[in-house]
Amino acid sequence: MRTVAVVGPPNTGKSTLFNRLTGLRQRVANYPGVTVEKRIGRARLPGKIEVHLVDLPGIYSLEPRSEDERVARDVLTGRMPGVSSPDAVILILDSTNLGRHLGFAAPILSLGIPTLVVLNMADSLRRGGGRLDLDAVAQQIGAPVALVSARTGEGTEAIREFLVGALAVPAPLELPVIQDVRRCREWSAQVGEAAEYRPPAPPLWTRRLDAVLLHPVAGLLIFAAVVVAVFQTVFTFAVPLMDATAAMISTSGEWVRGLLPDSWFRSLLIEGVWGGVGSVVIFLPQILLLFLFIGVLEDSGYMARAALIADRTMARVGLQGKSFIPLLSAYACAVPAILAARTIESRRDRIATIMIAPFMTCSARLPIYTLVIAAFIPERPVLGGFLGTRAATMLGLYLLGFLAAILTAWALKSSVLRGAGAPFSLEMPPYRLPGLQSLALRLVDRTKIFLRRAGTIILCTTIVLWFLASLPLRNGEAPPIAESVIGTVGRTIEPVIEPLGFDWKIGIGIITSLAAREVIVGTLGTIYGMEADEGSPDLQEALRSDLDLGGAVALLIFFAFAMQCMSTVAVVRRETAGWRWPVAQFAYMTLLAYVAAYLAKQIIGP
């Protein structure tokens, strides 16, 4: 089976075309640096022909400056273990920015691999009044050329014909010396002139929006307003959806309880699985709403502008704006964020970004944040009713994590990772209306990820927890939970966490949440469910009976700083090629979480 590499500069639509040809759902967004490692998919073509497509990170040359560029270079040159040398290449260039992107064609063509040059974004080129002579471009570069729109599918038949046809090596032409940037620019200008290339006029509304959104003062104020509006909307709109989900889970649990005879299996199913997993699934609507807003901001092109605004703040702590994109990804999950740090050329900046990414408030923290805030913070209007106290508290926790990240980055860049600052450059994508299909697919994928975690990690934890809470048997009956195996473990560690205002039940939750942060909610749901005389009690009411306000704030702060995620530890170990950084990171974040939670408890009191 043929192997075909899909390559091109960042944000030219490589992954969009890859998804269209393979039917996969590789993540796409409207800013550079979304793809940081190779993705392999299978394209099924007419005549029952199949081709392996390899989607590569964006690169501007074959001289890599970052880890993601090195991956692309190694695949193209056959140095990547486990990946066959490509039989052909699909080189994707942005047809609306051809003057600059054509220069990248020279090093790819010089490899001597059969190549199809795809000029993407044909719809934007036509809409802006741009044009070019395709035959002239093909004649100048000695390779076939197709004008397509990967987003709409226009012109992609030519790509399929290339994949099933005879692969021809590019015609021998006099190409510029690859390392000579000036000659490459002259060559691309010569090709553009021969093809009578006329770029599209830049949209007037893009310039007007950038004048406001990138303004040093107005841009910051708008960014802050967008963040506040997102949090308030998420909290307001999510409540009825979460109530409906909770009612559905409770009703279905009672219905199943009525169908089964009183036995240990019914107890396991209702109090263990239903109480544990169900208490986490309730928060799915809130997580999806947050991802919907993030998707809109990413696909519109606003996030790239936010990175440019953030560059001024990043520079003050020794980082660059390029760190903003991984940190932004960390609000979804720290694992892809740490992988996204591969786009940073400076190793010191990359390590610093990896070390601070887990401080960003990932979606796994949302369930415990929402549970504790709803239990202890009464809802009242602030800022003239624009913001509620609960949304303000949630926003404060996000800011707390961000401040911890910034201060940690400053400490690292001032000591062990001290080094000269790297220049920051980021190609501004055009503004686009987010596609409904793209947003819907993103939410479907996020729902699958969430439910997969609920059906694996959280389910297994709750089942193990139920058995440990049911042993040792006394006269054939489960003991009081405080005297069970899990209760004994909790009371053993209680002296360590008691200064924070936590009892043994919270201690068990902290231990189980080492697998994944949201597991603590399932753990508490199982423990309180088994402790109740009849059915599962309201989790918020049960939490208020065991925690005072100081302990609740301490619990929030502990989870804001602690690195309760073994998947993150594993990926940090892989990306830093050793245990030194992940061990130091885990110890530092755990110590910071404990000390900060202790201080909060002492300051606020009972």
Side-chain angles (χ1 to χ4, degrees), residues 20-37:
R20 181 168 289 280
L21 294 174
T22 62
L24 298 179
R25 293 182 188 173
Q26 168 78 333
R27 182 171 176 249
V28 296
N30 189 18
Y31 58 83
V34 177
T35 304
V36 295
E37 58 183 353

Side-chain angles (χ1 to χ4, degrees), residues 97-120:
N97 195 11
L98 204 56
R100 201 161 71 84
H101 282 192
L102 259 179
F104 180 58
I108 297 299
L109 294 172
S110 69
L111 294 173
I113 304 173
T115 301
L116 172 67
V117 178
V118 173
L119 306 182
N120 194 18

Side-chain angles (χ1 to χ4, degrees), residues 253-526:
E254 291 305 313
W255 179 72
V256 174
R257 181 195 296 274
L259 295 178
L260 299 174
D262 188 7
S263 63
W264 68 268
F265 178 72
R266 189 180 78 169
S267 176
L268 167 64
L269 188 63
I270 303 302
E271 293 155 6
V273 175
W274 235 269
V277 178
S279 57
V280 178
V281 173
I282 289 171
F283 298 96
L284 178 61
Q286 193 175 45
I287 291 172
L288 291 184
L289 266 178
L290 181 62
F291 275 93
L292 175 64
F293 282 110
I294 291 176
V296 170
L297 295 176
E298 284 183 344
D299 290 358
S300 65
Y302 179 72
M303 281 305 185
R305 274 79 185 176
L308 193 62
I309 294 172
D311 181 52
R312 298 163 195 146
T313 304
M314 295 289 183
R316 291 177 184 172
V317 297
L319 293 177
Q320 52 169 296
K322 231 172 184 177
S323 297
F324 180 80
I325 299 296
L327 296 182
L328 181 69
S329 301
Y331 283 117
C333 177
V335 171
I338 290 165
L339 294 175
R342 292 179 179 182
T343 60
I344 301 171
E345 294 88 354
S346 164
R347 175 171 168 77
R348 287 187 172 89
D349 286 359
R350 192 166 76 86
I351 294 292
T353 304
I354 289 173
M355 293 295 286
I356 65 175
F359 277 116
M360 301 292 111
T361 300
C362 65
S363 59
R365 286 181 171 105
L366 274 182
I368 184 64
Y369 281 1
T370 304
L371 174 64
V372 177
I373 289 173
F376 290 91
I377 308 296
E379 179 67 353
R380 293 180 187 135
V382 293
L383 294 178
F386 181 65
L387 193 65
T389 47
R390 290 178 175 173
T393 306
M394 180 74 83
L395 180 58
L397 289 167
Y398 272 71
L399 289 176
L400 195 63
F402 180 74
L403 287 175
I406 291 296
L407 292 175
T408 302
W410 174 80
L412 288 170
K413 292 293 292 180
S414 303
S415 55
V416 294
L417 295 176
R418 182 195 295 272
F424 170 58
S425 63
L426 185 70
E427 189 171 327
M428 287 294 109
Y431 290 104
R432 296 194 183 109
L433 280 177
L436 290 178
Q437 184 183 15
S438 170
L439 292 174
L441 290 176
R442 189 175 300 192
L443 294 185
V444 168
D445 289 343
R446 180 51 54 179
T447 302
K448 287 181 178 177
I449 292 171
F450 183 84
L451 293 180
R452 193 181 303 129
R453 285 168 69 94
T456 53
I457 298 174
I458 298 171
L459 177 62
C460 291
T461 304
T462 53
I463 290 175
V464 171
L465 197 67
W466 184 88
F467 277 107
L468 293 179
S470 303
L471 297 174
L473 294 176
R474 292 181 181 175
N475 300 321
E477 299 288 334
I481 194 166
E483 299 173 14
S484 65
V485 174
I486 197 67
T488 303
V489 173
R491 284 185 284 107
T492 303
I493 66 168
E494 194 171 31
V496 179
I497 58 175
E498 198 169 14
L500 311 183
F502 305 160
D503 65 0
W504 65 270
K505 298 169 197 167
I506 300 294
I508 294 299
I510 290 175
I511 291 175
T512 56
S513 64
L514 284 171
R517 291 182 176 94
E518 63 268 45
V519 172
I520 185 175
V521 176
T523 299
L524 295 177
T526 301

